[in-house]
Amino acid sequence: IIGGTGFKGPVASATVTAYTVSGGSPGAQIGMATTDASGKFSLSIGNHSGPVMLQLSGGTYTDEATGTTMNMAAGDVMTAILPTVAAGATISGIQITPVTSMAQTAAQHLFGGMTDANIASANAAVGTYFMVSDILRVQPMNPLVSGSGSTASQDAINYGMAMAAMSQYAKGQGMAVSSAFVTAMMNDSSDGMMDGKMGQSSVMMSGMGTGMGTAMPGNAGTSGMSSAMSTFVNSAQNKSGIPASMMQPLISHLSTSSGQLFPGTPAVAKGKIVGTTFNGTTQQANVQAYAISNGAMGAQLASTATDAQGNFTLPIGTY
């Protein structure tokens, strides 16, 4: 049994699916559950032994920056990756968040894919980036709940404010649904560097009314997040009681970050798809690659813009 919470603010009525890991990539489906109004879920994975990838899709959440109820957009998912689970084990308190999603994508694109070593390395690296000790098990503070910061640990505070900053950044970019920025952050983290790119290709952000998407700014995951966090903490939407002074270490850390997630240069797998879009007259467009799981569209693997001739390169790591 694996139990936990889908959290971008609590994500209600979402589908959580558990997958095996095969050859470093998502494998067979081994369990499914629906989150309750608090985002909680519990699913059975039978007698499976080995790493487990969790994927959350659909559902609704309250957006931190706007206070409005939003639906997870079609194609947007959140994920988490657990190292080897023993057969028959009961695991509780697992968080599926934008931050665990970034770690899962980073692990999948390391050389060898989602091995236990890569899972541990990616979860730790993204945790260090947002100053959270254990991104899988620390329960994020919900800054929309009045006084929530009074009993929260600094880990939980940093965790909740990191997600609020993503929401604030999406609002500042004019995104209609903030889950689209979560997808962009997942893609940005895939090569171990928060620079608005997957390898050499720009990450595209959708939901901005431009049709084909807009290239992610290179500083979105660093000083952009820092500025958004500062804006949110000082806004009326922050009901946690946490002042800006308590967030200054994380705000400064993000502001001065080079964007590098891993110490040293990670061995990122270089799988890619290269091609051309053509429909009579070639125009610039946004091309996205998705995994196929049990005959259905699964997690987004990559997103990029075509050039003026319709050419594109999609990095898909070890998939």
Side-chain angles (χ1 to χ4, degrees), residues 29 53 122 259 310:
Q29 178 180 318
M53 191 189 94

Side-chain angles (χ1 to χ4, degrees), residues 10-34:
V11 186
S13 302
T15 299
V16 177
T17 308
Y19 297 94
T20 64
V21 174
S22 177
S25 296
Q29 178 180 318
I30 51 174
M32 181 181 289
T34 301

Side-chain angles (χ1 to χ4, degrees), residues 8 61-70 144 167-168 170-171 177-179 237:
K8 194 198 171 306
Y61 61 93
T62 301
D63 181 66
E64 295 94 337
T66 64
T68 60
T69 299
M70 293 184 177
L144 297 182
S167 171
Q168 188 70 48
K171 177 184 176 183
V177 181
S178 56
S179 64
Q237 284 296 111

